[in-house]
């Protein structure tokens, strides 16, 4: 069965964006090295260090669908229907666009459980990435998240959008992390404990 994971780049104080949705130096690690990793959208690439490159290649190759919320979808203009992971996108929203045919690689669903189920089906045997903080928190509370992945960057934002906020069923517990030390980011993968 495929793994459902969330992956976010996060500041040391737990934020994935500043109060204005800016990612600024949080994403510096995507251009902090000598190794080119082509995105799967066919249009962009990353320049990262060797450790980050291996992690990024594995994540890109293993992802068969991505789940996000309407806010991120709107903020990115739906990645022009071609997310950098190269996989179809499932958007959890109560207000889908009027013309969903304009987004042939995007599926719109009404709740998180339906979104994860749709993404699993679309992904086949590949992994499902959850790319919105709110959706990741809801999926964790519903027991639908298998892993939490954090690319931790050496900056303190002081305020902003937290990775996990408003959890309904905390505390959540995790196994010890696997750690990849990179340039401008330390990549942590935590398996969700099921006890």
């Amino acid at each position: 069965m495929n793994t459902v994971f969330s992956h976010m780049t996060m500041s040391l104080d737990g934020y994935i964006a500043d109060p204005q949705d800016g990612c600024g130096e949080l994403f510096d690690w995507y251009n902090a090295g000598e190794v080119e990793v082509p995105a799967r959208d066919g249009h962009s690439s990353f320049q990262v260090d060797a450790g980050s490159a291996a992690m990024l290649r594995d994540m890109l190759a293993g992802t068969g669908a991505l789940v996000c919320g309407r806010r991120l979808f709107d903020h990115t203009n739906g990645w022009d229907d071609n997310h950098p992971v190269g996989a179809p996108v499932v958007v959890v929203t109560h207000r889908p666009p009027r013309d969903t045919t304009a987004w042939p690689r995007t599926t719109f669903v009404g709740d998180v459980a339906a979104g994860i189920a749709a993404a699993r089906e679309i992904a086949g045997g590949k992994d499902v990435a959850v790319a919105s903080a709110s959706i990741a928190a809801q999926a964790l509370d519903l027991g639908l998240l298998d892993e939490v992945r954090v690319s931790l960057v050496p900056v303190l934002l002081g305020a902003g959008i937290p990775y996990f906020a408003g959890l309904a069923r905390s505390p959540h517990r995790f196994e010890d992390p696997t750690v990849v030390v990179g340039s401008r980011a330390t990549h942590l993968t935590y398996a969700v404990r099921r006890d």
Side-chain angles (χ1 to χ4, degrees), residues 32-147:
E34 303 295 322
V35 181
E36 183 175 5
V37 178
R40 290 181 56 218
D41 64 1
H43 302 293
S44 55
S45 64
F46 309 102
Q47 290 290 135
V48 296
D49 62 274
S52 296
M55 181 278 301
L56 199 52
R57 281 188 190 111
D58 287 347
M59 187 168 55
L60 290 169
T63 301
L66 181 129
V67 180
C68 72
R70 180 64 192 259
R71 182 170 175 243
L72 181 59
F73 177 81
D74 288 346
H75 187 70
T76 62
N77 190 38
W79 301 276
D80 295 322
D81 209 37
N82 193 14
H83 191 279
V85 298
V89 173
V90 176
V91 179
V92 178
T93 181
H94 295 296
R95 45 181 193 87
R98 288 185 185 177
D99 182 14
T100 58
T101 62
W103 307 97
R105 292 176 43 97
T106 304
T107 302
F108 298 90
V109 298
D111 65 63
V112 172
I116 299 294
R120 279 190 159 153
E121 185 174 326
I122 291 166
K126 288 191 167 189
D127 294 341
V128 171
V130 177
S132 293
S134 172
I135 305 302
Q138 292 174 66
L140 185 60
D141 275 340
L142 291 168
L144 300 174
L145 209 58
D146 302 311
E147 290 179 355

